[in-house]
Amino acid sequence: MPPLRAAVRLAGGAEIGGIPAYSPVAGLVLGLFRGAWRVELAGTYAARAVTYPEPAAIGARMLVAAGAVRGCGVPRWRRLEFPVCGGLELGYVRAVACGVADPRPAGDLWIAAQLSPGLAWAPTRVLAVSLGLDILLALRRPGFHVAGLGELARAQPVGLRPMLGIEARFP
């Protein structure tokens, strides 16, 4: 039986999902793996300003911070790995109005099912470079508005998060 190993991955990419517009995203993943199986705890953070088309300059600064737990099957071929993960993401979406006299922050819960196929190249036993795509199916879609102007933003029913990362593995 192969030994139990751990991994830490730093990643960056883009997201559309919790915030309904392209947003840069940063992520951190902690994983435990043995053979072709893996369990991960993942955290992501994305932020972006969103504005109404009219009146100009009125909108909100939005952010979403989320954590996910997922299980993965990881077929391998030589130094290439093909992880396919499934899990649940839970997060918090926050919006602070801008361009108004009395901005009030608002926040709400974001919940999504997650399917995450990927590709990793492990040139050594302790290092891997990964490319992944989180496909997010929203189970709870928070929405935000500025008083008197209608809805500004609502989380998308399906989101995408492509990520490029570097992973350290030990022992």
Side-chain angles (χ1 to χ4, degrees):
M1 177 182 264
L4 182 63
R5 300 187 67 207
V8 176
R9 181 170 62 244
L10 292 174
E15 174 180 332
I16 186 165
I19 299 173
Y22 162 82
S23 306
V25 63
L28 174 68
V29 178
L30 304 175
L32 291 175
F33 61 100
R34 175 178 280 160
W37 299 102
R38 184 175 184 123
V39 175
E40 294 182 339
L41 294 174
T44 56
Y45 177 86
R48 170 164 181 145
V50 179
T51 59
Y52 286 100
E54 284 294 324
I58 295 181
R61 178 82 178 147
M62 296 184 69
L63 68 85
V64 59
V69 61
R70 55 190 177 209
C72 310
V74 186
R76 289 180 173 80
W77 180 72
R78 298 185 185 195
R79 295 186 185 270
L80 294 177
E81 300 173 351
F82 306 92
V84 178
C85 304
L88 186 66
E89 180 170 293
L90 180 65
Y92 185 73
V93 181
R94 185 170 192 263
V96 179
C98 54
V100 297
D102 185 21
R104 296 195 181 157
D108 207 350
L109 186 64
W110 154 262
I111 303 172
Q114 196 180 77
L115 175 64
S116 303
L119 172 66
W121 174 57
T124 71
R125 180 171 163 74
V126 297
L127 181 70
V129 178
S130 67
L131 177 62
L133 176 66
D134 296 340
I135 302 165
L136 307 166
L137 176 60
L139 303 174
R140 188 160 199 293
R141 298 176 50 214
F144 299 93
H145 70 280
V146 174
L149 294 178
E151 189 169 81
L152 170 64
R154 178 166 297 281
Q156 299 297 308
V158 176
L160 297 174
R161 185 186 301 133
M163 300 286 281
L164 179 62
I166 188 158
E167 182 174 275
R169 298 175 173 183
F170 48 94

